[in-house]
Amino acid sequence: MFLIVAKYLIPNGYRGMAVFPFIVMKYDCDKRNQTFVNHEKIHLRQQIELLILPFFIWYILEFIIRLIQYKNKDLAYRNISFEREAYAKETDLNYLKNRSFFQFLKYIKQ
């Protein structure tokens, strides 16, 4: 995992993103934000499980489905199964030590 600060790569309204093996963030101070880094590390684990490219295909497709469902891009983003898992577990700094494979599947909802 590599932490990179690249202010202009991050879309407005977001602080960072994970693209295996990198965590790209808008602000240098987020390197020390354990909750933020843990959230992004959860995404790295999800990406590894789905062999990276299928993760991004699934992510985009689920975003489109949620956008149709909620008609709101922020709600759509927050309800992507990958994001639901990461937000639910970001404060548990031991989560990745005990996490079973494909846990994001528990966060898929109708």
Side-chain angles (χ1 to χ4, degrees), residues 83-94:
E83 293 299 340
R84 292 183 70 219
E85 178 189 12
Y87 278 112
K89 300 298 183 178
E90 67 185 7
T91 58
D92 181 354
L93 301 180
N94 293 312

Side-chain angles (χ1 to χ4, degrees), residues 1-4 6 9-11 15-25 36-37 39-48 51-57 59-60 83:
M1 170 193 71
F2 301 96
L3 299 174
I4 298 172
L9 290 179
I10 306 301
R15 289 174 40 207
M17 65 181 167
V19 181
F20 186 83
F22 305 101
I23 294 175
V24 183
M25 59 199 71
F36 171 81
V37 172
H39 178 103
E40 298 304 333
K41 284 169 122 178
I42 292 168
H43 288 315
L44 291 177
R45 180 73 57 87
Q46 294 163 342
Q47 290 172 23
I48 291 167
L51 306 176
I52 303 165
L53 184 59
F55 168 87
F56 289 104
I57 293 168
Y59 193 102
I60 291 166
E83 293 299 340

